[in-house]
Amino acid sequence: MIFFISFAPDFLHQHKMSTPILTITGSDGTGISGVQADIRFIHELGGEAVSAITSITVQNTLGIQHFYDLPAEIVRQQVEAIVNDLQPQVIKIGLLRRADVVEALADVLRRYKPQHVVYAPVLHSSKGELLVAETVFKTIEKLLMPLCTVVLAAKDVTFDPRRHGQANQLGSAVAYYLSIGETAAEAMQHAKVYLSQNPAGYTGGNSRSEELYNLFVASVEQYFRHYADVTFYAEQLNVSPRYLGQVTRRVSGRSPKSIIDERIVTEVAAMLTAFHCPLKEVAQRLGFSSQAHLSRFFKKHKGVSPTEYQHKKLQ
């Protein structure tokens, strides 16, 4: 079980096809959080999502008015139906409000033994309401957490907890990167970088501009190791480079090129410091024509050479 943040030295980027990700959590009728958001967000990243629901909520943008927590046996049957048929190797767990549901899930996980279990605690609503009783959380700590690969610590304030659904996004992104063969440390690193690309006013893509921006960021995440040209991404999205630029500036105040370059620079920095890759290897993996080409690119954006940056960070 890993409580973040820590990084492993191994760095593998032979991305595999993702296996189905099973998300087990509550339902949110607004689509901003819960199982609906998990499915949408995993699909945006390029993954495949399947689901089991633990609670049905009556809610809108004003908050949650009522819960109906599904019986433990119904939750168990949902999960077993999926794992017996589709055999997902990554399971992401969110809202759990009943101790007997926790017990049932722990029993299934012990028997099924998936490769990875990600637990993203959902303890409070965006309005600050307590969603999980202390006795239930103690059961989670005792029975569920020991079975998890990744537990997203509630004390991590890397992202704004007031932004509805953001914890779900982080957990879903970590689950996706695990599903394509990354280590837990790599998955956390890439999930946080991916979410950092979302603008401060990210609302889940309700407008055409927001939807296109989200698709662009997802496309950059998928292809940045091979393509740095704005035209490539515009073609992927079936829009002109000029229109793509108008959208990214409207949503985030940045040009498409600056977003692409920032993602590449962030990856270079992570490979040099978190994963200790030699400069030659970094250049090869990220498609630079030479180490000198990489050094010029990095220095342009960071103001120091990759070697200087690496020495400074590792001191």
Side-chain angles (χ1 to χ4, degrees):
M1 178 170 55
I2 296 179
F3 290 84
F4 279 95
I5 304 172
S6 63
F7 297 101
D10 185 39
F11 190 84
L12 303 175
H13 266 310
Q14 284 74 34
H15 276 188
K16 307 172 184 177
M17 293 296 292
S18 65
T19 58
I21 298 164
L22 170 58
T23 174
I24 305 172
T25 191
S27 172
D28 177 354
T30 70
I32 299 174
S33 186
V35 66
Q36 295 89 339
D38 284 352
I39 292 171
R40 183 182 68 248
F41 196 69
I42 290 168
H43 282 178
E44 286 178 359
L45 279 163
E48 178 186 352
V50 291
S51 64
I53 295 174
T54 59
S55 298
I56 297 171
T57 62
V58 177
Q59 70 174 301
N60 52 29
T61 58
L62 299 178
I64 300 172
Q65 285 88 53
H66 184 68
F67 279 103
Y68 176 70
D69 299 318
L70 294 178
E73 190 55 29
I74 297 299
V75 175
R76 177 195 291 270
Q77 289 180 28
Q78 288 183 79
V79 174
E80 288 182 337
I82 294 294
V83 299
N84 288 330
D85 182 28
L86 299 176
Q87 298 186 326
Q89 290 304 306
V90 179
I91 296 178
K92 184 237 174 180
I93 300 175
L95 180 64
L96 301 175
R97 286 172 39 87
R98 293 176 53 148
D100 59 350
V101 167
V102 177
E103 293 166 356
L105 285 179
D107 179 60
V108 172
L109 293 175
R110 280 193 295 267
R111 287 188 289 108
Y112 176 58
K113 296 182 175 62
Q115 288 182 357
H116 297 290
V117 178
V118 178
Y119 175 48
V122 180
L123 307 179
H124 296 85
S125 72
S126 60
K127 308 296 183 183
E129 305 149 314
L130 182 65
L131 302 181
V132 179
E134 184 178 353
T135 54
V136 175
F137 190 68
K138 287 187 179 299
T139 305
I140 292 171
E141 288 182 312
K142 179 182 178 181
L143 298 181
L144 180 64
M145 287 188 180
L147 303 175
C148 293
T149 309
V150 176
V151 175
L152 302 182
K155 64 182 179 181
D156 184 355
V157 293
T158 303
F159 298 103
D160 185 350
R162 296 167 297 179
R163 282 173 59 181
H164 190 191
Q166 198 173 47
N168 272 12
Q169 292 170 12
L170 179 59
S172 295
V174 170
Y176 166 73
Y177 288 111
L178 289 171
S179 78
I180 60 174
E182 295 194 351
T183 67
E186 291 167 5
M188 177 60 77
Q189 169 77 7
H190 290 134
K192 289 194 171 188
V193 170
Y194 177 77
L195 289 185
S196 72
Q197 304 295 320
N198 288 339
Y202 179 82
T203 59
N206 293 327
S207 74
R208 166 61 178 158
S209 294
E210 291 168 337
E211 179 184 10
L212 184 61
Y213 180 88
N214 295 338
L215 289 173
F216 168 65
V217 171
S219 186
V220 170
E221 187 63 26
Q222 185 173 1
Y223 295 112
F224 77 89
R225 297 177 186 87
H226 308 288
Y227 300 99
D229 182 36
V230 174
T231 300
F232 169 82
Y233 294 97
E235 290 175 350
Q236 294 296 307
L237 299 171
N238 199 29
V239 297
S240 69
R242 181 174 181 272
Y243 180 70
L244 180 59
Q246 290 174 333
V247 168
T248 62
R249 288 183 178 90
R250 177 184 179 275
V251 176
S252 69
R254 297 183 293 169
S255 70
K257 183 61 174 172
S258 70
I259 293 171
I260 297 166
D261 286 352
E262 179 183 330
R263 183 63 187 92
I264 296 171
V265 168
T266 302
E267 188 73 2
V268 172
M271 292 177 74
L272 290 172
T273 57
F275 306 116
H276 310 297
C277 290
L279 189 60
K280 181 180 180 180
E281 185 178 349
V282 175
Q284 289 175 342
R285 289 187 175 183
L286 296 182
F288 287 91
S289 59
S290 65
Q291 289 180 228
H293 181 200
L294 169 59
S295 294
R296 289 194 299 270
F297 172 84
F298 191 84
K299 189 169 185 177
K300 175 183 175 182
H301 291 278
K302 285 290 192 180
V304 295
S305 72
T307 302
E308 292 169 334
Y309 181 86
Q310 187 178 45
H311 287 166
K312 182 178 179 181
K313 289 294 182 178
L314 295 179
Q315 283 179 349

